[in-house]
């Protein structure tokens, strides 16, 4: 079987803040709340667990680009984006969350991008964000380790 040389796997990693600081802060707050109020600690633990598992299931763990599409591989299935019109780098400070996960092991949900409108964010990190504009699907923003590797290829 011959592999197509036009297929490219684009790395996407968590930044240091996503991996250590935020989950650690939630665990510490949960432990502190346990000593204050048991019902509060149980509620926080449930909300924290739902957010963590949602992040793991919904945020792409691999980005694959071929000659005419980008495939976002997730545990809950892949998202194939075809008929790509444009790829452009965006800054996280231009995004405002409307609904979703905002920093606990990544960013997922519906956001408003200044100067553009509503977008879906599926990113492990708040840096190196790429807006994918397709003629047949809603705009999606993902994070990659090197924006140029996705945009220029």
């Amino acid at each position: 079987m011959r592999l197509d040389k036009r297929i490219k796997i684009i790395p996407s990693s968590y930044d240091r803040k996503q991996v250590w600081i935020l989950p650690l802060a939630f665990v510490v707050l949960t432990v502190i709340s346990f000593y204050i109020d048991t019902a509060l600690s149980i509620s926080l633990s449930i909300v924290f667990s739902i957010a963590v598992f949602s992040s793991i299931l919904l945020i792409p763990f691999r980005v694959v680009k071929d000659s005419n599409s980008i495939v976002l591989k997730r545990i809950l299935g892949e998202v194939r984006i075809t008929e790509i019109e444009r790829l452009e780098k965006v800054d996280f400070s231009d995004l405002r969350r409307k609904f979703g996960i905002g920093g606990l092991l990544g960013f997922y949900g519906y956001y408003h991008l200044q100067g553009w409108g509503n977008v879906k964010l599926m990113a492990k990190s708040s840096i190196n964000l790429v807006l994918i504009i397709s003629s047949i699907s809603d705009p999606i923003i993902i994070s990659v380790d090197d924006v140029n590797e996705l945009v220029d290829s």
Side-chain angles (χ1 to χ4, degrees), residues 3 11 45 51 63 71 85 90 99 126 132-133 149:
L3 289 175
S45 297
V63 178
V71 180
E85 294 179 351
V90 296
F99 178 78
S126 62
I132 304 169
I133 301 167
E149 193 172 359

Side-chain angles (χ1 to χ4, degrees), residues 38-96:
T38 305
L40 177 63
S41 68
I42 292 171
S43 300
L44 282 175
S45 297
I46 290 170
V47 169
F48 177 70
S49 298
I50 290 170
V52 167
F53 287 118
S54 296
S55 293
I56 291 169
L57 296 174
L58 296 171
I59 294 175
F61 62 85
R62 182 177 299 144
V63 178
V64 179
K65 184 176 182 185
D66 61 24
S67 59
N68 56 1
S69 68
I70 294 175
V71 180
L72 309 175
K73 304 272 187 177
R74 307 181 307 175
I75 292 175
L76 281 182
E78 65 184 34
V79 175
R80 181 173 294 275
I81 306 167
T82 58
E83 298 190 32
I84 298 167
E85 294 179 351
R86 194 168 77 225
L87 300 170
E88 66 182 60
K89 184 175 181 176
V90 296
D91 190 52
F92 188 76
S93 63
D94 293 335
L95 291 166
R96 299 293 174 254

Side-chain angles (χ1 to χ4, degrees), residues 2-138:
R2 202 175 94 187
L3 289 175
D4 187 354
K5 292 185 180 187
R6 296 174 300 195
I7 294 176
K8 187 173 194 177
I9 297 174
I10 312 292
S12 176
S13 304
Y14 291 105
D15 64 17
R16 188 174 300 239
K17 182 174 83 173
Q18 302 307 323
V19 174
W20 295 105
I21 296 173
L22 290 174
L24 182 62
F26 276 104
V27 169
V28 168
L29 289 173
T30 302
V31 169
I32 290 171
S33 68
F34 180 75
Y35 289 107
I36 297 171
D37 185 2
T38 305
L40 177 63
S41 68
I42 292 171
S43 300
L44 282 175
S45 297
I46 290 170
V47 169
F48 177 70
S49 298
I50 290 170
V52 167
F53 287 118
S54 296
S55 293
I56 291 169
L57 296 174
L58 296 171
I59 294 175
F61 62 85
R62 182 177 299 144
V63 178
V64 179
K65 184 176 182 185
D66 61 24
S67 59
N68 56 1
S69 68
I70 294 175
V71 180
L72 309 175
K73 304 272 187 177
R74 307 181 307 175
I75 292 175
L76 281 182
E78 65 184 34
V79 175
R80 181 173 294 275
I81 306 167
T82 58
E83 298 190 32
I84 298 167
E85 294 179 351
R86 194 168 77 225
L87 300 170
E88 66 182 60
K89 184 175 181 176
V90 296
D91 190 52
F92 188 76
S93 63
D94 293 335
L95 291 166
R96 299 293 174 254
R97 182 175 38 173
K98 294 175 79 179
F99 178 78
I101 300 167
L104 182 62
L105 293 177
F107 302 86
Y108 183 87
Y110 296 95
Y111 285 67
H112 181 81
L113 177 60
Q114 282 182 327
W116 177 261
N118 295 330
V119 296
K120 185 172 191 177
L121 183 63
M122 301 169 67
K124 287 183 171 181
S125 173
S126 62
I127 55 175
N128 295 330
L129 297 174
V130 177
L131 172 63
I132 304 169
I133 301 167
S134 168
S135 60
I136 61 171
S137 65
D138 293 334

